[in-house]
């Protein structure tokens, strides 16, 4: 298997599975396949003199983006208040049984799963700042805990990459029992979730799996499964009972899509987690080069460390719980990462360029954000947008950047409303 | 700019977006006068422009009622020297700055007279990032952008969310935010901004030597930074500001649903509307866990 992998990385088609590939790709040569996927010729069009020109997609992109934005804002109006389960405790259970060595995903299911789990973990921590992930594997009929629940993506990824080998049978029950034991201990305000990446088509269980499923349901574990081979009744049953989602991946890109769907926070389900106020501290980062004894490893350390604001004890990493006074310690930028979900900015209104030209004296001729000229470039009529609140004009590129990445309206931010409280709503 | 030969675009061409704090409330109370400050900054900007002929400087004024672009070296580079007495940089910058300050002052008078001390850093940061995105869009040959905040007024806690949004956007597009704080107490926002985006934060001890601080710390381009001994951060202040009173706090209550920060206990979350039960449970569970910890 290892050899097969190496060969493929060198971009040489393995002789042994040539026929199989021909069936899949409809008899295309390896060099043709690259272009078949790309469809690069579709991005070209002829202009009036017969020369090939790349298609100007920007208008189409912008229309698509506006549709997306409108759908989003409609949804948020319907919900009026946004409630999301932002504190999640998720166990990712990876099936590393014999079935994970199948080669229907290239180079093998195991490698594909590991690659996308890595991407998923990074994306997960980016979107769920206070959440924690743990990793477990099922192998030889038993489940092992690879990493405990924790907030550092690097340690999880390192642990996973060191344990990549597969053998034996798979046992859904053992996996569920193991994670149930861990997740049952976490506080009630957290959302308990399990994500199972299941390769096998069977499960070898020591007892009655239905009992285990009921146990998970009782402790409010939301179990989701992504299958890699075919739909199984027991997985579907598990997901239905516990309120999770079940999906089966068709190919690698579909698998990636499915796993990344689990990264954004799910809507909060009232009965699953009780909302509560949690007391937390925002420690200061100590100066580089200062020496102190940390309370977590009980060692003298130079440099990096954070000071608990209540008892002034030193801890090495955030987020954590202070060993001395029990205060939850988080870094405030972690929290702030999710705030744009809470204060979305209103979609900008489209302004036809003709109006911009007419009212020349009043409206500015450049985009307020980037100073690009808003007047017609060449002879193409341009489209502009204006913020409904501050009435500043923006170009389309800034519009997309402001709504998708910046989450601030530069116009609204750079004037002071008469009531300072209103500014906080932005 | 785009027609410049590619070999000239090495990794040390920089675009520096300078955010200039023009808040009159700060400058009237400061021991260091604004004109003194400007003379140091002008010399520094000239130095940056002479370090590489393709270097570009954009200046955005951060007022207390508005923000605006006051200088863009790519627009004015080819103009002749005004009346011959001053170089273009100084002449255009000073003229625009004066216009901006009078406009900013007028806006302030229109508003109800309130005690405003902060300047609109969130606005100028957002504008700088929009400008930098435009430079990124201009093609593969673009100067390495960075932002330099020259800030004197204290943090405006009401801008917390907006500034954090801007910081994360800068981090995603790999734009470092350097900051030089010339006010009395240190700024928690600027410390966090520089720490998160990988920029340099510095608070000069001797303001008379501001030019030297600027030149030795903030003039080096991003590539050369790895070879220079830059001042190490003297700790980062990670305090947040609460949503209810806009106070800067180091300990507070977090809503478990939406992660809003409050400085006191509330019955209901003002952001997401969820009601809280079990007032004391978190402290109780914390002590329980603490007691359990030594046994295990």
């Amino acid at each position: 298997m290892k050899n097969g992998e190496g060969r493929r990385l060198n971009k040489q088609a393995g002789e042994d599975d040539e026929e199989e590939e021909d069936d899949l790709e409809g008899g295309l040569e390896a060099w043709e396949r690259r272009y078949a996927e790309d469809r690069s010729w579709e991005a070209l069009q002829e202009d009036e003199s017969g020369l090939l020109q790349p298609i100007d997609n920007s208008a189409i992109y912008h229309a698509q983006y506006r549709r997306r934005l409108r759908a989003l804002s409609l949804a948020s109006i319907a919900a009026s208040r946004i409630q999301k389960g932002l504190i999640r405790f998720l166990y990712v259970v990876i099936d590393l049984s014999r079935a994970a060595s199948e080669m229907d995903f290239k180079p093998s299911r195991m490698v594909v799963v590991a690659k996308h789990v890595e991407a998923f973990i990074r994306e997960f921590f980016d979107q769920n700042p206070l959440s924690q992930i743990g990793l477990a594997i099922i192998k030889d009929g038993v489940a092992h805990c690879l990493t405990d629940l924790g907030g550092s993506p690097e340690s999880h990824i390192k642990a996973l990459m060191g344990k990549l080998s597969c053998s034996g049978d798979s046992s859904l029950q053992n996996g569920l029992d193991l994670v149930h034991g861990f997740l049952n201990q976490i506080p009630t305000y957290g959302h308990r979730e399990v994500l199972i990446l299941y390769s096998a088509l069977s499960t070898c269980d020591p007892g009655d799996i239905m009992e285990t499923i009921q146990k998970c349901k009782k402790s409010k574990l939301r179990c989701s499964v992504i299958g890699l081979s075919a739909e199984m009744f027991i997985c579907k049953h598990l997901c239905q009972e516990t309120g999770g989602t079940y999906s089966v991946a068709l190919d690698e890109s579909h698998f990636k899509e499915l796993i990344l769907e689990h990264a954004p926070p799910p809507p909060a389900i009232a009965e699953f987690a009780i909302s509560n106020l949690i007391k937390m501290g925002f420690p200061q980062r100590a100066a580089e080069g200062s020496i102190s004894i940390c309370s977590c490893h009980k060692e003298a350390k130079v440099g990096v460390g954070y000071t608990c604001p209540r008892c002034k004890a030193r801890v090495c990493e955030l987020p954590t719980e202070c060993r001395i006074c029990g205060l939850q310690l988080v870094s405030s930028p972690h929290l702030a990462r999710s705030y744009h979900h809470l204060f979305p900015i209103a979609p900008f209104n489209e302004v036809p360029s003709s109006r911009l030209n007419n009212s020349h004296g009043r409206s500015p001729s450049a985009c307020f954000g980037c100073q690009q000229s808003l007047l017609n470039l060449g002879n193409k009529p341009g489209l502009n947008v204006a913020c409904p609140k501050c009435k500043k004009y923006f170009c389309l590129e800034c519009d997309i950047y402001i709504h998708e990445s910046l989450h601030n309206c530069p116009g609204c931010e750079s004037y002071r409303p008469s009531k300072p409280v209103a500014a906080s709503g932005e | 700019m785009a027609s410049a030969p590619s070999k000239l675009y090495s990794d040390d061409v920089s675009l520096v977006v300078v955010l200039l704090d023009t808040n009159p409330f700060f400058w009237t109370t400061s021991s260091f006068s604004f004109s003194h400050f400007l003379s140091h900054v002008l010399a520094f900007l000239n130095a940056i422009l002479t370090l590489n002929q393709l270097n570009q400087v954009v200046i955005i004024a951060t007022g207390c009622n508005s923000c605006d672009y006051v200088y863009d070296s790519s627009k004015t580079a080819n103009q002749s020297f005004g009346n011959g007495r001053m170089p273009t940089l100084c002449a255009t910058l000073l003229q625009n700055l004066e216009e901006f300050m009078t406009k900013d002052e007028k806006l302030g008078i229109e508003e109800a007279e309130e005690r405003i001390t902060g300047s609109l850093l969130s606005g100028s940061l957002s504008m700088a990032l929009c400008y930098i995105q435009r430079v990124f869009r201009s093609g593969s040959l673009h100067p390495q952008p960075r932002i330099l905040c020259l800030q004197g007024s204290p943090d405006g806690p009401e801008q917390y969310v907006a500034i954090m949004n801007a910081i994360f956007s800068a981090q995603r597009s790999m734009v470092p935010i350097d900051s030089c704080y010339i006010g009395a107490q240190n700024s928690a926002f600027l410390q966090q901004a520089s720490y998160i985006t990988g920029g340099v934060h510095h608070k000069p001890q001797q303001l008379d030597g501001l030019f030297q601080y600027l030149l030795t710390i903030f003039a080096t381009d991003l590539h050369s930074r790895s070879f220079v001994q830059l001042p190490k951060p003297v700790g980062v202040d990670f305090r947040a500001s609460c949503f209810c009173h806009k106070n800067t706090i180091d300990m507070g209550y977090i809503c478990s649903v939406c992660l809003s920060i409050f400085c006191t206990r509330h019955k209901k979350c003002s952001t997401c509307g969820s009601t809280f039960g079990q007032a004391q449970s978190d402290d109780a569970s914390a002590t329980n866990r603490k007691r359990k910890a030594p046994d295990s």
Side-chain angles (χ1 to χ4, degrees):
Chain A
M1 210 163 312
K2 282 266 147 73
N3 298 342
E5 209 180 303
R7 266 208 306 267
R8 195 150 299 279
L9 287 175
N10 292 333
K11 302 220 176 213
Q12 289 166 2
E15 291 97 330
D16 43 2
D17 44 30
E18 211 168 40
E19 314 125 299
E20 182 198 314
E21 271 175 22
D22 281 353
D23 291 344
L24 283 173
E25 303 289 345
L28 287 180
E29 296 294 337
W31 61 270
E32 287 176 317
R33 228 172 282 145
R34 196 150 60 89
Y35 295 97
E37 282 163 15
D38 239 20
R39 306 185 85 79
S40 49
W41 57 88
E42 286 183 356
L44 292 173
Q45 66 178 7
E46 273 182 45
D47 65 1
E48 51 271 33
S49 54
L51 292 169
L52 286 176
Q53 293 274 327
I55 295 178
D56 182 19
N57 281 325
S58 63
I60 305 167
Y61 279 142
H62 193 256
Q64 278 173 351
Y65 144 79
R66 290 200 69 88
R67 218 172 299 133
R68 201 163 61 235
L69 196 70
R70 213 166 295 138
L72 265 178
S73 65
L74 278 178
S76 65
I77 289 166
S80 76
R81 287 278 172 93
I82 304 150
Q83 285 203 340
K84 285 194 163 183
L86 285 174
I87 304 186
R88 305 166 69 186
F89 293 86
L90 173 75
Y91 250 100
V92 182
V93 182
I94 302 166
D95 172 13
L96 288 181
S97 62
R98 220 178 298 118
S101 61
E102 293 274 338
M103 312 259 280
D104 51 353
F105 286 71
K106 303 289 173 209
S108 75
R109 286 182 186 173
M110 181 178 68
V111 175
V112 169
V113 167
K115 190 171 94 187
H116 292 301
V117 165
E118 179 183 346
F120 169 74
I121 290 175
R122 289 186 198 284
E123 183 68 23
F124 180 87
F125 283 116
D126 204 49
Q127 300 212 23
N128 308 275
L130 276 189
S131 306
Q132 301 192 356
I133 274 189
L135 290 179
I137 52 171
I138 313 174
K139 194 187 214 176
D140 296 324
V142 281
H144 297 283
C145 179
L146 214 56
T147 51
D148 288 328
L149 283 171
S152 140
E154 296 311 320
S155 65
H156 293 304
I157 292 163
K158 218 173 114 195
L160 175 66
M161 292 309 163
K163 281 279 158 53
L164 275 189
S165 63
C166 47
S167 61
D169 292 314
S170 167
S171 167
L172 200 56
Q173 192 190 15
N174 282 341
L176 284 176
D177 273 334
L178 180 82
V179 294
H180 177 264
F182 287 116
L183 287 176
N184 213 12
Q185 298 166 1
I186 62 153
T188 48
Y189 55 77
H191 285 254
R192 306 162 178 189
E193 290 174 68
V194 184
L195 175 62
I196 302 169
L197 308 172
Y198 209 70
S199 298
L201 275 174
S202 61
T203 164
C204 298
D205 297 330
D208 184 2
I209 190 166
M210 295 301 177
E211 272 174 28
T212 312
I213 293 177
Q214 288 309 317
K215 201 168 73 182
C216 291
K217 190 183 176 186
K218 229 168 96 192
S219 357
K220 289 169 182 146
L221 257 63
R222 184 175 181 267
C223 304
S224 301
V225 183
I226 299 178
L228 282 102
S229 30
E231 186 171 309
M232 278 166 73
F233 169 74
I234 192 68
C235 295
K236 198 171 182 178
H237 180 71
L238 169 71
C239 297
Q240 274 175 350
E241 283 293 302
T242 58
T245 55
Y246 181 44
S247 41
V248 177
L250 299 171
D251 53 27
E252 186 174 338
S253 62
H254 187 222
F255 177 72
K256 185 181 170 192
E257 215 172 278
L258 291 175
I259 193 168
L260 288 180
E261 265 173 29
H262 290 271
I269 308 166
E271 74 226 61
F272 268 49
I274 302 150
S275 58
N276 208 339
L277 278 176
I278 313 155
K279 187 154 191 169
M280 284 191 184
F282 309 110
Q284 296 211 5
R285 199 183 146 84
E288 243 153 78
S290 63
I291 303 170
S292 68
I293 297 173
C294 78
S295 62
C296 31
H297 303 93
K298 300 177 180 68
E299 284 168 10
K301 288 202 171 168
V302 182
V304 289
Y306 301 86
T307 317
C308 168
R310 189 149 76 182
C311 64
K312 310 284 180 243
R314 180 70 75 97
V315 292
C316 290
E317 267 189 335
L318 293 182
T320 183
E321 189 178 87
C322 177
R323 293 292 174 102
I324 310 296
C325 65
L327 185 70
Q328 289 268 343
L329 301 177
V330 288
S331 99
S332 54
H334 259 121
L335 295 179
R337 234 171 239 283
S338 60
Y339 285 159
H340 66 86
H341 290 302
L342 306 177
F343 308 111
I345 45 173
F348 292 170
N349 299 325
E350 283 183 23
V351 183
S353 55
S354 55
R355 222 183 87 194
L356 200 78
N357 287 341
N358 292 341
S359 52
H360 212 269
R362 194 181 55 84
S363 59
S365 57
C367 164
F368 186 78
C370 67
Q371 296 291 291
Q372 192 151 34
S373 170
L374 289 180
L375 300 173
N376 296 351
L377 302 164
N379 50 5
K380 255 197 297 175
L383 191 69
N384 304 309
V385 288
C387 171
K389 250 188 192 151
C390 63
K391 309 280 186 282
K392 298 274 196 252
Y393 290 87
F394 294 95
C395 63
L396 299 186
E397 280 90 1
C398 277
D399 181 19
I400 296 179
Y401 173 66
I402 287 167
H403 282 93
E404 306 226 307
S405 171
L406 185 61
H407 306 293
N408 276 342
C409 169
C412 299
E413 287 305 325
S414 56
Y415 86 106
R416 202 177 284 276
S418 35
K419 269 190 203 154
V421 187
S424 65
E426 292 315 298
Chain B
M1 220 45 185
S3 60
S6 60
K7 62 172 187 213
L8 287 177
Y9 261 100
S10 51
D11 44 11
D12 57 353
V13 179
S14 349
L15 158 67
V16 187
V17 184
V18 182
L19 311 183
L20 211 58
D21 189 3
T22 64
N23 189 346
F25 295 96
F26 165 72
W27 288 110
T28 46
T29 53
S30 167
S31 56
F32 192 58
S33 79
F34 188 57
S35 55
H36 246 95
F37 167 73
L38 266 187
S39 62
H40 285 267
V41 172
L42 281 176
F44 166 68
L45 296 176
N46 272 322
I48 287 186
L49 288 176
T50 44
L51 271 173
N52 189 316
Q53 59 160 332
L54 291 172
N55 275 1
Q56 201 187 333
V57 171
V58 175
I59 303 169
I60 302 175
T62 316
C64 63
N65 296 300
S66 60
C67 300
D68 206 358
Y69 288 87
V70 287
Y71 180 73
D72 184 341
S73 68
S74 68
K75 276 186 189 160
T76 42
N78 298 327
Q79 280 174 15
S80 59
F81 285 18
N83 50 13
R85 282 197 301 129
M86 268 193 291
T88 1
L89 171 76
C90 302
T92 26
L93 174 62
L94 289 178
Q95 192 193 341
N96 287 339
L97 204 57
E98 208 168 301
E99 278 171 26
F100 170 78
M101 302 270 278
T102 31
K103 225 165 54 185
D104 195 39
E105 204 178 350
K106 268 190 199 141
L107 280 170
I109 292 165
E110 282 167 27
E111 301 292 334
E113 199 55 58
E114 278 174 70
R115 211 179 59 84
I116 301 163
T117 46
S119 36
L120 292 162
L121 181 64
S122 58
S124 56
L125 259 182
S126 309
M127 284 164 84
L129 286 167
C130 281
Y131 190 92
I132 287 168
Q133 287 302 311
R134 176 181 151 199
V135 171
F136 281 143
R137 283 196 300 271
S138 67
S140 53
L141 288 178
H142 58 74
Q144 292 287 316
R146 63 179 194 265
I147 298 175
L148 170 61
C149 299
L150 295 173
Q151 190 77 6
S153 21
D155 291 336
E158 73 279 357
Q159 298 172 25
Y160 177 67
V161 172
I163 289 183
M164 286 322 255
N165 282 342
I167 292 173
F168 294 130
S169 187
Q171 186 195 20
R172 267 194 293 272
S173 31
M174 316 266 270
V175 178
I177 302 178
D178 299 332
S179 50
C180 180
Y181 191 73
I182 36 195
Q185 68 273 68
N186 218 336
S187 156
F189 290 171
L190 288 181
Q191 282 183 15
Q192 294 188 29
S194 300
Y195 174 73
I196 292 170
T197 58
V200 187
H201 175 83
H202 191 68
K203 184 176 183 297
Q205 302 301 317
Q206 292 284 323
L207 284 180
D208 294 334
L210 183 65
F211 173 69
Q212 199 169 349
Y213 284 109
L214 291 174
L215 202 64
T216 45
I217 298 169
F218 301 107
T220 39
D221 58 85
L222 297 181
H223 177 69
S224 319
R225 273 193 190 179
S226 45
F227 311 111
V228 180
Q229 279 281 343
L230 292 166
K232 283 185 179 149
V234 207
V236 184
D237 191 345
F238 273 127
R239 284 180 302 170
S241 61
C242 70
F243 285 26
C244 42
H245 304 95
K246 309 286 167 205
N247 295 331
T248 308
I249 50 171
D250 59 3
M251 218 188 315
Y253 296 92
I254 314 276
C255 167
S256 69
V257 179
C258 65
L259 307 186
S260 306
I261 305 170
F262 302 104
C263 58
T264 51
R265 200 170 267 290
H266 290 255
K267 283 254 163 25
K268 195 167 182 245
C269 174
S270 60
T271 314
C272 68
S274 34
T275 43
F276 305 121
Q278 302 170 319
Q280 250 62 52
S281 75
D282 57 341
D283 278 336
S285 68
T287 42
N288 280 347
R289 252 173 287 151
K290 195 191 85 189
R291 266 189 230 115
K292 260 184 246 158
D295 304 338
S296 57

